[in-house]
Amino acid sequence: MTVDYDVRDLALADDGRLRIEWADRQMPVLARIRERFEKERPLDGIRIAACLHVTTETANLMRTLRDGGAEVTLCASNPLSTQDETAAGLVAHHEIATYAIRGVDQHGYYKHINAALDRKPMITMDDGCDLVTVLHQQRQDQLPDVIGGTEETTTGVIRLRAMQSRGVLGYPIVGINNADTKHLFDNRYGTGQSALDGVIRATNVLIAGTTVVVCGYGMCGRGVASRAKGLGADVVVTEVDPTRALEAAMDGYRVLPTSDAVTQGDIFITVTGNKHVLRGEHFELMKDGAILANAGHFDIELELTALRAMSKSRREVRPEVEEFDLGGDRRIYVLSDGRLVNLAAAEGHPASVMDMSFANQALTVEWLVANADKLEKKVYDVPVEIDKDVARLKLETMGIRIDELTEEQLAYMEEWEEGT
Ligand code: ADE
């Protein structure tokens, strides 16, 4: 092997290669970008460190960047989301330096991030901002070498904006999440489907007839609520934002304060991006058998320290399902240690939707390299031309044609005199 790596077992590589190929079939936009990158090599000589969920979809993004000329290193952005066979396939069949093992502890997780940073990236690609945080807190001497970065997720963009407003952001970073072709699709349809997929794979419960409580009605919450409703659940939404709560009510869901919702729910799915959304006072009120899952980025939405402290005992009852015995015939079930249920208990967002998110990533890296000297140390949105290009390409690959404005309509949009 010519690349450095730390993965579970290279014997898994053939399985990984097949799975990467399977995902690639659902990622035609990225494939087209890859073909162009192969010819034009816009990333020649660029070192990229990516801290992303190590999935088959991510593997295809890594291949695209590599074919564009970049020297790519990948580490995991969550200890439980790594697909070990994908990591092995990336190393053995695609020669991409990969540091990721499912289930590593905190020390192993940060060791992998540091291994990626040891390769002196000029571009960082992050999902949740852990790589950027280590770089800014512990390896500031490397900051001058970095020309730019991208951030995949809502949670990460919030952290970057905090860094920018405190004047500590060391280089320009583009928030991929803000592209329409990312959050309107990945967050809604991707999280919507895969969060339910995770709950179902872990528990095999019938969703129809249950009360599903969705905590948070951002793009991810909307997706989770609509998919739970589609499967026949009675859906309750909890929110802190009045506009979002109103939207949930008009979308047809019951909206309740968490303190009321906890007495009614059978399944709880948190997607707020905040901490301790379900906590001790709520666990006290939940029904026997309540199932708790988190689909927000970090594992702090459920206050598991409180739940552990309240429990008489706990045990794993199925893979990804831990039972907490609260005494008095009351048990609560937590999925995947409160980590992203869609990635830990299922396979994350399906490839077809990651196609758009990762097309934005690839094209934005190309844009960063081309514009590095003009950019400031701040958080940028994905350029609108890239966003529209991704939408156009996705439609094309889906065989969907749309209209164009006529000359008359174009002129009408520019004038102001014509009225009633
Ligand atoms: N985030 C959510 N789903 C994902 C996937 N399939 N691959 C990479 N990152 C993801």
Side-chain angles (χ1 to χ4, degrees):
M1 206 61 53
T2 55
V3 292
D4 196 21
Y5 63 91
D6 188 17
V7 301
R8 167 87 54 208
D9 183 357
L10 286 184
L12 301 169
D14 289 352
D15 185 18
R17 173 160 66 175
L18 283 176
R19 286 168 175 265
I20 293 167
E21 264 176 45
W22 178 259
D24 196 40
R25 292 183 61 83
Q26 308 288 324
M27 304 181 86
V29 176
L30 195 63
R32 280 201 197 178
I33 295 168
R34 190 160 61 240
E35 273 167 35
R36 178 171 69 75
F37 273 19
E38 236 179 305
K39 287 192 209 110
E40 297 177 7
R41 309 274 296 178
L43 310 180
D44 252 341
I46 301 293
R47 292 184 303 277
I48 300 178
C51 179
L52 299 173
H53 299 295
V54 178
T55 63
T56 52
E57 293 74 29
T58 298
N60 286 314
L61 173 60
M62 296 302 104
R63 292 174 57 208
T64 305
L65 299 172
R66 197 267 323 273
D67 289 355
E71 187 190 300
V72 183
T73 308
L74 175 64
C75 63
S77 61
N78 185 300
L80 278 190
S81 61
T82 297
Q83 298 166 356
D84 287 322
E85 62 288 342
T86 301
L90 271 171
V91 173
H93 294 301
H94 299 288
E95 305 234 331
I96 288 174
T98 303
Y99 302 91
I101 297 176
R102 184 185 159 96
V104 280
D105 59 13
Q106 190 86 346
H107 173 75
Y109 177 73
Y110 281 101
K111 192 178 89 180
H112 286 160
I113 287 184
N114 277 297
L117 289 172
D118 285 346
R119 295 167 64 96
K120 306 276 186 294
M122 298 149 77
I123 296 265
T124 62
M125 190 174 266
D126 221 343
D127 186 335
C129 214
D130 283 344
L131 182 93
V132 167
T133 303
V134 172
L135 189 56
H136 281 72
Q137 283 179 342
Q138 296 161 29
R139 306 182 61 142
Q140 286 150 350
D141 55 310
Q142 281 183 235
L143 286 173
D145 296 337
V146 185
I147 59 175
T150 63
E151 167 54 53
E152 171 77 3
T153 197
T154 322
T155 301
V157 174
I158 291 169
R159 282 177 158 197
L160 291 174
R161 292 213 190 281
M163 291 173 79
Q164 180 183 320
S165 66
R166 284 174 207 173
V168 296
L169 189 64
Y171 54 91
I173 303 195
V174 181
I176 301 294
N177 191 63
N178 293 2
D180 285 344
T181 47
K182 200 280 185 179
H183 68 267
L184 292 178
F185 302 93
D186 167 312
N187 301 29
R188 182 163 41 182
Y189 304 111
T191 307
Q193 177 168 317
S194 62
L196 267 303
D197 185 15
V199 171
I200 293 167
R201 287 197 207 193
T203 63
N204 197 30
V205 293
L206 182 72
I207 304 292
T210 61
T211 296
V212 173
V213 178
V214 180
C215 303
Y217 204 64
M219 272 300 155
C220 295
R222 289 167 210 206
V224 172
S226 92
R227 270 42 193 160
K229 186 177 181 177
L231 286 166
D234 164 32
V235 177
V236 171
V237 170
T238 67
E239 246 304 339
V240 290
D241 180 286
T243 319
R244 286 183 175 181
L246 199 55
E247 207 178 346
M250 294 210 185
D251 284 344
Y253 305 113
R254 290 197 287 142
V255 177
L256 292 174
T258 306
S259 54
D260 289 354
V262 288
T263 63
Q264 302 185 22
D266 299 301
I267 299 170
F268 294 82
I269 304 176
T270 53
V271 261
T272 68
N274 215 318
K275 76 189 282 193
H276 298 170
V277 176
L278 294 176
R279 46 189 182 265
E281 67 197 86
H282 301 134
F283 305 139
E284 299 275 10
L285 299 171
M286 286 178 181
K287 296 195 274 192
D288 175 38
I291 292 169
L292 315 188
N294 168 49
H297 186 81
F298 288 118
D299 62 345
I300 51 173
E301 303 214 11
L302 308 175
E303 194 189 10
L304 293 184
T305 42
L307 187 58
R308 287 187 196 112
M310 290 161 65
S311 301
K312 307 239 169 312
S313 63
R314 54 199 170 97
R315 59 181 178 149
E316 186 180 67
V317 289
R318 293 165 57 95
E320 309 298 331
V321 185
E322 190 173 17
E323 178 186 77
F324 290 76
D325 187 344
L326 301 181
D329 271 345
R330 245 169 23 92
R331 282 145 301 180
I332 285 180
Y333 297 93
V334 174
L335 308 190
S336 305
D337 288 335
R339 295 202 187 269
L340 280 165
V341 73
N342 57 332
L343 281 140
E347 293 173 62
H349 303 171
S352 163
V353 83
M354 293 312 293
D355 190 24
M356 288 192 275
S357 310
F358 285 168
N360 276 295
Q361 285 276 13
L363 295 176
T364 297
V365 169
E366 181 184 33
W367 178 83
L368 273 171
V369 170
N371 292 282
D373 52 344
K374 302 186 201 91
L375 301 175
E376 295 166 44
K377 295 174 182 176
K378 59 182 208 184
V379 183
Y380 285 85
D381 281 342
V382 172
V384 71
E385 316 81 71
I386 290 183
D387 202 358
K388 291 287 175 209
D389 259 1
V390 172
R392 247 179 249 114
L393 279 169
K394 189 68 179 176
L395 281 171
E396 219 173 286
T397 62
M398 293 169 81
I400 298 173
R401 295 188 305 125
I402 58 171
D403 294 328
E404 277 179 29
L405 293 174
T406 62
E407 290 297 323
E408 183 191 24
Q409 287 168 332
L410 278 170
Y412 177 73
M413 296 307 284
E414 305 255 298
E415 64 151 59
W416 59 276
E417 284 109 333
E418 198 175 324
T420 310

